[in-house]
């Protein structure tokens, strides 16, 4: 998604994610598809271990792991608890819980966060690196529809290259993203949605192709206008 500052790009993503209400119209998707959005609220995870912040991206897995810890900490473990524990183990197995930490570690390393920080709290990182952890969280989630608002902000060249490769080779869902990074737009996008004058137009291809198509369209309109004036 591209457009001048203030045209409503971020608001549009929040409406798609259900975080904001649209003034009119509706958002429709298949019921079984889940949406993941890059969050900016790192404050709620300040005391959490980095690996845990990433794994929280999979809510079903995280809830099962948390409940399992609660059951194991009980002093009087009942038969009912035993049944529930076996149910939780099935969920953890189905959601890839036993590979969760190694996958989270790879995501953090790919985004330029050194392994020495992985076991520590999020508060140990600077603001830009905290946002990288939240990016790792939504990548770990592997949603059917991923919404990213300026994902290359706070990333260096190596991390951007890693992210491009990950999105093209390891993510199979629909990606909708906002970016001002021309190189990233060219390397990742297959369609450009241009927000201009309260209208969204869809241009197939990457950003360079969009610029060419938009210039051609403008040239044609100017030509038509001259003919009308004549």
């Amino acid at each position: 998604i591209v457009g001048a500052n203030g045209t409503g790009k971020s608001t549009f993503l929040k409406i798609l994610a259900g975080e904001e209400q649209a003034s009119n119209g509706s958002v429709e998707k298949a019921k079984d598809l889940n949406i993941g959005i890059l969050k900016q609220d790192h404050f709620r995870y300040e005391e959490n271990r980095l690996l845990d912040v990433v794994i929280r991206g999979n809510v079903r897995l995280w809830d099962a792991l948390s409940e399992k810890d609660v059951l194991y900490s009980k002093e009087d473990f009942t038969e009912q608890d035993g049944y529930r524990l076996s149910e939780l183990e099935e969920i953890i197995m189905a959601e890839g819980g036993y590979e969760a930490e190694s996958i989270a570690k790879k995501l953090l390393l790919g985004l330029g966060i050194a392994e020495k920080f992985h076991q520590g709290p999020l508060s140990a990182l600077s603001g830009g690196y905290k946002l990288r952890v939240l990016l790792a969280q939504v990548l770990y989630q592997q949603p059917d529809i991923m919404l990213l608002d300026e994902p290359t902000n706070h990333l260096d060249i190596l991390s951007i290259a890693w992210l491009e490769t990950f999105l093209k080779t390891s993510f199979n869902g629909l990606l909708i993203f906002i970016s001002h990074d021309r190189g990233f737009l060219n390397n990742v996008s297959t369609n450009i949605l241009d927000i201009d004058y309260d209208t969204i137009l869809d241009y197939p291809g990457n950003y360079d192709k969009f610029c060419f198509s938009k210039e051609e369209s403008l040239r044609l309109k100017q030509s038509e206008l001259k003919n009308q004036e004549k």
Side-chain angles (χ1 to χ4, degrees):
I1 301 173
V2 298
N5 288 336
T7 49
K9 301 185 296 295
S10 295
T11 303
F12 180 52
L13 279 199
K14 285 174 184 172
I15 289 168
L16 292 182
E19 292 187 353
E20 283 193 23
Q21 287 296 311
S23 50
N24 55 55
S26 62
V27 177
E28 295 175 19
K29 69 171 183 66
K31 281 183 182 177
D32 58 337
L33 297 183
N34 64 74
I35 294 177
I37 186 168
L38 174 56
K39 295 182 171 67
Q40 308 288 337
D41 58 342
H42 57 78
F43 307 103
R44 61 184 288 203
Y45 304 116
E46 287 292 302
E47 300 312 313
N48 292 149
R49 191 176 65 133
L50 259 62
L51 291 171
D52 291 340
V53 177
V54 176
I55 295 167
R56 276 173 178 265
N58 184 333
V59 177
R60 189 165 184 255
L61 171 60
W62 180 254
D63 287 348
L65 289 169
S66 300
E67 191 179 341
K68 179 184 169 183
D69 287 344
V70 170
L71 287 178
Y72 273 128
S73 66
K74 286 179 73 174
E75 288 182 13
D76 48 340
F77 194 81
T78 66
E79 190 178 350
Q80 194 63 39
D81 291 333
Y83 289 131
R84 180 57 184 158
L85 200 58
S86 64
E87 289 173 358
L88 292 171
E89 287 291 356
E90 282 182 28
I91 294 170
I92 291 165
M93 193 84 100
E95 296 295 327
Y98 296 104
E99 303 88 51
E101 287 208 2
S102 64
I103 294 169
K105 201 172 281 187
K106 284 177 187 172
L107 292 171
L108 290 170
L109 289 171
L111 291 169
I113 299 171
E115 193 167 351
K116 65 179 180 180
F117 294 107
H118 295 184
Q119 299 290 343
L122 189 64
S123 57
L125 301 180
S126 65
Y129 279 90
K130 288 175 184 177
L131 293 173
R132 293 188 191 204
V133 177
L134 294 186
L135 177 55
Q137 184 186 74
V138 73
L139 296 179
Y140 179 80
Q141 183 185 345
Q142 284 282 351
D144 301 301
I145 303 164
M146 190 188 293
L147 309 175
L148 303 180
D149 191 348
E150 297 286 3
T152 59
N153 278 4
H154 312 292
L155 296 185
D156 54 31
I157 293 169
L158 289 175
S159 300
I160 291 171
W162 177 87
L163 179 60
E164 287 176 2
T165 303
F166 179 89
L167 291 171
K168 288 191 284 187
T169 60
S170 302
F171 178 65
N172 299 317
L174 168 66
L175 171 66
I176 303 174
F177 68 98
I178 297 166
S179 183
H180 285 96
D181 184 329
R182 188 169 185 145
F184 187 75
L185 282 162
N186 275 328
N187 292 335
V188 177
S189 59
T190 57
N191 289 69
I192 300 290
L193 297 177
D194 179 35
I195 302 183
D196 199 10
Y197 296 108
D198 295 332
T199 305
I200 300 178
L201 293 176
D202 180 12
Y203 293 83
N206 65 12
Y207 187 72
D208 283 346
K209 195 172 179 186
F210 150 72
C211 289
F212 178 78
S213 300
K214 192 166 184 179
E215 282 170 18
E216 280 293 294
S217 174
L218 191 62
R219 204 173 292 125
L220 283 171
K221 281 179 184 174
Q222 287 170 342
S223 178
E224 285 171 15
L225 197 61
K226 281 181 182 175
N227 288 334
Q228 284 173 0
E229 284 171 353
K230 282 179 185 176

